[in-house]
Amino acid sequence: NGYSNAPHTLGLTVRDNVGTTATATRTVTVQNNLGTISVFITQPSSGATVSGTQWVTIWIENAAAGTKTFTLSAAGQTVATTNDTSNGPISMPWITTGTPDGPTTLTASVRDASNNTGTGSIPVTVQNGSSQLTAGFSTPAQGATVSGSVTVGMTASGGTAPYTYTLTIDGTQVASGASNTYSWTTTGYSRGNHTLGLTVRDNTGATATASRTVTVQNGTPLTASFTSPTQGATVSGTVTVTMAAGGGTAPYTYTLMIDGTQVASGASTTYGWNTGAYAAGSHTLGLTVRDNTGATATAGITVTVSSGGTLSVAVTTPSPGATVSGTVWVTIWVDGAAAGNKTYTMTANGTQVWNESNGDRPASLPWVTTNGTNGTKTLTVTVRDSAGATGSGSVTVTVANP
C-alpha cells in the first residue's frame, strides 16, 4: 500500500559464499484500490498503446446493490461517464484524440447507491498523430558510389514530433539525436558496399526504420583504356587487342565488345581479333573494366578494317573433323595473291598460335597443340599479301593430347 498505482521494478542481487554475485529484475504494476469498492480496468491492458476510440472495460467488487456512477478520466480530465446497476463488465468509450499523445494514466472511479467509492488506474500511451511514422534517407541515393566526406540526410514524417534520429553504419551506431544530418568520413571505411541503417523515434516512443546500401570508393579512380590498336587505326588480318586498367582495386576483369557484341571477358589483357571475319570499314571496340570492389570503368575506340583485296585461302591439312595431337603441320594454299612474301597468322579459337612471312606455295605452318587445351578447336589462317589484300581460311578439328 505504500506505492503508487503504476509500474514498479523489483531488483534482486544474490551473493554466494565466495563473494560472486548474480542479478535479476522484474517489472510489475501496482493497482491498489482507493475506497471500499474494488475497481479493475481489464481493457486496455496496462502499458498498452491506444488510439482512436478505445473501449474501456471495468469490473467492480464490494459495491452496494443499485445504480452506480462510473467516471473515466485520462490525464486528469474526465473523458466519459455512465450509470449502471451491473458490477461488470462495464464498457465505456474513450475518444483518445481528445487526450494529448504520450504516456498518461487512465483512471476509473465508481460511486454506489450507498455513497461508497473506489478507483482503479493503469498506465497507457496515447498515439494518434497525423499519420503513421515513417523514416527515410534523403542523401546519398540508394546504390550511390561515395568518397571523402559525405552528408547523410535523414527524414521522418507522421507520428508526433519532435523526432530522434539514430544512424548506424554496418550495424554500428554513429549518431543519435535531434539532428537529421550526419557528416560521414568514408576514408575510415574499406572500399566496397556498406549499409546505412536509420531508426526514427517520435515523441510518443513509436519507431520506424529505413536502410540504404552505398559503395565506398576512395583512392585513385578506376580507369580503362586500349593500348593497341590506336584510335582511328587501319587494321587487317589477326590483330592483338591490348587492354589496360588503372586505379581502383586489383584484380580486374576485362570485358571486350566489338560493335556491341561481347567477344571476351576475364583476367586476360589481350585478345586475338581475326578482322577477316568482319566487313571492311569502321568498327567500334568497347571495353569495360570491373575491379575487385565491383566498381567499373569504360573505354572505346573506333578502327577501320582494311578493304585490301580478297585472297582465296584454303587449309588442306589437317582435314575437317580430324583428331590431332603434338605438333601438326598445317598446309595452306592461297590464290589471287600478289607476287612476293605473304604474312600468315594462325589462331586456334581466337588465340594466336603462329605467325610468319614466306613466299611458299603451298605454305606449311607448325601448330604445337600441346601449348593449348584439348577439345574442339577452330583453326584459322589469315593471309596478307604484299599488296595489302587479305583472306582467311579455317578448319575445325579436335585436339586430343595425352
Side-chain angles (χ1 to χ4, degrees):
N1 290 329
Y3 291 83
S4 62
N5 288 339
H8 295 273
T9 301
L10 307 182
L12 169 64
T13 299
V14 175
R15 181 182 300 274
D16 70 7
N17 196 41
V18 299
T20 304
T21 62
T23 62
T25 61
R26 178 162 294 176
T27 299
V28 297
T29 299
V30 171
Q31 184 173 306
N32 291 308
N33 295 288
L34 305 178
T36 59
I37 303 176
S38 297
V39 181
F40 306 94
I41 299 175
T42 59
Q43 183 181 324
S45 58
S46 178
T49 298
V50 298
S51 62
T53 298
Q54 172 68 55
W55 284 90
V56 180
T57 302
I58 304 164
W59 291 80
I60 63 173
E61 295 177 354
N62 305 321
T67 300
K68 292 164 278 289
T69 299
F70 296 82
T71 302
L72 193 63
S73 61
Q77 301 293 318
T78 298
V79 294
T81 61
T82 191
N83 294 317
D84 204 300
T85 59
S86 173
N87 287 346
I90 303 299
S91 293
M92 302 177 65
W94 170 27
I95 302 174
T96 65
T97 54
T99 302
D101 282 354
T104 192
T105 300
L106 179 63
T107 300
S109 301
V110 181
R111 181 179 296 274
D112 67 12
S114 299
N115 228 24
N116 298 311
T117 61
T119 62
S121 61
I122 60 170
V124 295
T125 298
V126 176
Q127 184 179 314
N128 286 299
S130 58
S131 60
Q132 183 179 2
L133 179 64
T134 62
F137 289 96
S138 57
T139 57
Q142 169 63 29
T145 298
V146 298
S147 60
S149 183
V150 177
T151 297
V152 179
M154 299 164 280
T155 64
S157 62
T160 303
Y163 308 111
T164 299
Y165 302 84
T166 300
L167 176 66
T168 63
I169 300 177
D170 296 333
T172 299
Q173 181 176 312
V174 295
S176 186
S179 175
N180 63 355
T181 61
Y182 173 74
S183 182
W184 177 24
T185 303
T186 65
T187 52
Y189 293 78
S190 62
R191 293 168 61 90
N193 291 340
H194 295 272
T195 301
L196 309 182
L198 170 64
T199 299
V200 173
R201 182 179 298 274
D202 75 0
N203 199 43
T204 71
T207 60
T209 60
S211 65
R212 180 154 292 180
T213 299
V214 298
T215 300
V216 170
Q217 185 176 313
N218 289 303
T220 306
L222 179 64
T223 61
S225 62
F226 289 96
T227 57
S228 68
T230 60
Q231 167 63 30
T234 298
V235 297
S236 61
T238 297
V239 177
T240 298
V241 179
T242 304
M243 302 161 280
T249 302
Y252 308 110
T253 299
Y254 302 84
T255 299
L256 176 65
M257 314 277 283
I258 299 179
D259 296 334
T261 299
Q262 180 177 313
V263 295
S265 185
S268 176
T269 59
T270 61
Y271 173 75
W273 177 26
N274 176 20
T275 64
Y278 291 77
S282 179
H283 295 273
T284 300
L285 307 185
L287 169 64
T288 299
V289 173
R290 182 179 298 273
D291 75 1
N292 199 42
T293 70
T296 59
T298 60
I301 61 172
T302 301
V303 298
T304 299
V305 172
S306 173
S307 58
T310 301
L311 305 180
S312 176
V313 178
V315 178
T316 59
T317 305
S319 59
T323 298
V324 299
S325 62
T327 299
V328 178
W329 285 91
V330 180
T331 304
I332 306 107
W333 290 85
V334 180
D335 291 326
N341 284 349
K342 295 170 281 294
T343 299
Y344 295 83
T345 302
M346 185 162 60
T347 63
N349 282 5
T351 300
Q352 182 173 309
V353 295
W354 194 260
N355 179 266
E356 72 173 68
S357 294
N358 64 55
D360 298 341
R361 175 180 167 84
S364 291
L365 307 181
W367 175 24
V368 183
T369 65
T370 54
N371 288 339
T373 59
N374 288 340
T376 301
K377 308 287 183 181
T378 297
L379 187 66
T380 301
V381 178
T382 301
V383 183
R384 174 179 288 276
D385 69 8
S386 59
T390 61
S392 64
S394 62
V395 63
T396 299
V397 297
T398 300
V399 175
N401 287 300

